[in-house]
Amino acid sequence: MPLLFDEDCHDYQRATSPADTEDVTNLTISSTATRPDFAAIATWVKPGAKVLDLGCGDGSLLCFLRDMRNIRGYGVEIDDDNVLACFNNGVNVIQSDLESGLLSFESGSFDYVVLSQTLQAVKHTEGIIKEMLRVSKEGIVSFPNFGYWKNRLQVMSGHMPISETLPYQWFDTPNIHNCTLGDFEEFCSQHGARILERRVMSGDHQITFLPNLLGTLAFYRFEQQK
């Protein structure tokens, strides 16, 4: 059953400093936040950082980072209702289509650019990653892991996967570029992005054993290859 074997994914060790670990106990994966993935992202963001959230929705992640890490946050969102929600939540937001690029922002103007559970829905993946690294020191992405074992079993049974992280039917899904951990890591190595750290989760649990097989959601922190 070859589809059930875990791909050879690299281990990425994190270089920590006092600034990185400050208040980390309050930002563990088992955080009582509504979405544990927010806490996972927050552990990588230094206090007081300038953060751009692409496809920010109603601004919930930026609000969380503002409360937990005292960041200066800005969002990019295209949906009218979400833009209004951002305003109501006190989030600085620009209404724009990610596919048109980030020309509104100067190079190196942010400490982090975040693309949370949106990577699989963009058309021009290479362009988005390139722009993230142009306007920021580091990029952070999260995406559903298509290599999760239950997804593989559904494919083996002859159907496209449906799960908590991939909740759509094949005919109405916005996801056009599903990938596994191995796929994303290969993409980074081919497109000048150096991975600094990886975290893989299933629900509110961090997965360290066979992450490409047992993890439902992947997080990566990366920078421009020097």
Side-chain angles (χ1 to χ4, degrees), residues 91-129:
V91 171
N92 298 308
V93 62
I94 294 176
Q95 187 166 26
S96 180
D97 183 0
L98 295 183
E99 303 290 354
S100 63
L102 303 176
L103 298 178
S104 302
F105 304 102
E106 295 182 0
S107 298
S109 52
F110 292 91
D111 296 304
Y112 306 92
V113 175
V114 179
L115 189 67
S116 177
Q117 299 195 50
T118 305
L119 181 69
Q120 72 280 2
V122 300
K123 294 179 182 178
H124 306 293
T125 307
E126 183 177 357
I128 291 290
I129 297 296

Side-chain angles (χ1 to χ4, degrees), residues 18-205:
D20 293 328
T21 55
E22 182 181 351
D23 295 331
V24 106
T25 16
N26 297 323
L27 297 168
T28 56
I29 303 305
S30 59
S31 167
T32 56
T34 305
R35 286 176 51 175
D37 54 319
F38 285 6
I41 291 172
T43 59
W44 290 343
V45 175
K46 293 180 180 179
K50 193 174 181 181
V51 178
L52 178 65
D53 186 8
L54 305 180
C56 65
D58 63 3
S60 295
L61 174 59
L62 288 173
C63 289
F64 183 82
L65 293 176
R66 182 182 62 201
D67 293 343
M68 300 300 294
R69 301 304 255 173
N70 194 32
I71 60 102
R72 293 170 291 161
Y74 302 81
V76 176
E77 177 59 47
I78 193 170
D79 181 78
D80 292 337
D81 291 337
N82 281 334
V83 169
L84 179 60
C86 283
F87 283 124
N88 291 335
N89 288 329
V91 171
N92 298 308
V93 62
I94 294 176
Q95 187 166 26
S96 180
D97 183 0
L98 295 183
E99 303 290 354
S100 63
L102 303 176
L103 298 178
S104 302
F105 304 102
E106 295 182 0
S107 298
S109 52
F110 292 91
D111 296 304
Y112 306 92
V113 175
V114 179
L115 189 67
S116 177
Q117 299 195 50
T118 305
L119 181 69
Q120 72 280 2
V122 300
K123 294 179 182 178
H124 306 293
T125 307
E126 183 177 357
I128 291 290
I129 297 296
K130 184 177 180 180
E131 279 290 88
M132 289 176 69
L133 293 176
R134 179 185 67 81
V135 303
S136 70
K137 297 175 183 176
E138 295 182 7
I140 297 174
V141 300
S142 66
F143 56 86
N145 175 30
F146 202 76
Y148 179 53
W149 70 271
K150 289 186 179 180
N151 295 339
R152 303 187 195 200
L153 284 179
Q154 290 185 64
V155 171
M156 289 177 63
S157 71
H159 298 281
M160 289 296 292
I162 299 174
S163 65
E164 184 176 350
T165 54
L166 294 168
Y168 301 96
Q169 298 280 351
W170 67 268
F171 54 83
D172 65 358
T173 180
N175 300 328
I176 56 177
H177 288 145
N178 288 310
C179 68
T180 68
L181 276 63
D183 291 329
F184 183 76
E185 290 169 15
E186 183 177 3
F187 171 88
C188 286
S189 69
Q190 294 175 351
H191 292 85
R194 185 171 79 93
I195 295 172
L196 300 172
E197 187 175 1
R198 179 186 73 190
R199 176 170 285 137
V200 184
M201 296 173 63
S202 180
D204 59 358
H205 301 290

